[in-house]
Amino acid sequence: MASNINISALTLAAEEATEVSQLILEREFVNGALSQNHDIHTGILYKTQIPFAGKLSDAVKKSTGCTPNAGGAVALSQKYWDPEIFDVRFTHCAADLSKLFKLFQKESRINPDYFNKDGSQEMAMIYSLVAQMLRETLPVKVWFSDTAADDVDGSGVFTSGTDLDLYNVFDGLFKQLFASITDGSTYHVDIAKNAGANYAAQALAADDAYNTLLAMRNKADERLLEDPAAKFYITRSLADNYRDTLRTKTLTAGFIEITENGKSQLMFDGIPVEVMYVWDRTIKALQDNETKWNIPHRALLTTPDNIPVGTVAESDFETLDSFYDKTLKSNITDVAFSLDAKFLETYMAVFAY
């Protein structure tokens, strides 16, 4: 039985780190909580209907005689939550750590202290790393999952060698957006540099981001613009380009970058701009054919309740089931949750790519 702590890259000698505080953990990519960018619908375990009711057209006319004017009918449509269950198990066997690795070796006896690490510093570290992994992977699955996922060696866009089973469980938001808001359709804005033949040709020119966001705002349905929750979700590439515009042009008060408590907030014509660093990071890591990236510049104008995430319980994203198995002489940490994501109403979005 192996340990989750791989020390093969360490030089083990008579003197090395003996306190967990001396262990430097790789920094977490901070994506923000899912609830920051999505409404979270709980209690979703099985395929569940999402009904939509259309609008009634105006049929109010001058009254003539004893029979009122006939009203119209309401058109109903539907989508479905169809969540899948994800799980993973982490097994830590203390006996597989070298006796020279002193960081965790502080037991006063062998049985059961040496094997059972419940409450130990090493298990606390494992819990922390598992929780960090979940925070990082959940938004990637929500946005980039694709049941037809394939790599560039086949017919897909994922980087060669990608473990496709991580991303082919359900259709994520980008898959749904590309299907719903097609190139040239009413709520689509083209970003020409995405079609560049190589990395250099995909680089944005001055003011590209500003022009993209302006075109998106101008294409937006009035119901979207009137919604106080509306905001832009954009790649870092577009955000940096927009910041360059803000620093070189004199714009009105609605076009601004505010820094408060060390956190930057971009605004475009009074609409908040959420920089989706996870998009850029994922595209560069997972959608690279070694010549160019797959659609590296993306922007979405919508509301969090139009791109909800469905699950049984939001707490599942943070709850770890940890126990000591006496037979295996190992500490086991299990993770399990259900997950789905939905793009709901097309008129409540503008998608640029």
Side-chain angles (χ1 to χ4, degrees), residues 247-259:
R247 290 163 186 161
T248 57
K249 293 186 181 299
T250 302
L251 300 171
T252 61
F255 302 85
I256 195 170
E257 180 177 16
I258 304 168
T259 302

Side-chain angles (χ1 to χ4, degrees), residues 112-133:
D113 292 356
Y114 182 77
F115 299 100
N116 185 357
K117 298 301 178 181
D118 276 347
S120 69
Q121 294 183 82
E122 61 201 90
M123 289 310 299
M125 186 188 77
I126 289 174
Y127 301 153
S128 176
L129 291 174
V130 172
Q132 172 183 316
M133 177 275 295

Side-chain angles (χ1 to χ4, degrees), residues 188-197 201-204 208 212 296-297 352-353:
H188 169 253
V189 171
D190 184 57
I191 301 178
K193 293 300 176 64
N194 279 326
Q202 289 181 317
L204 295 170
D208 274 355
T212 296
H297 316 297
Y353 60 90

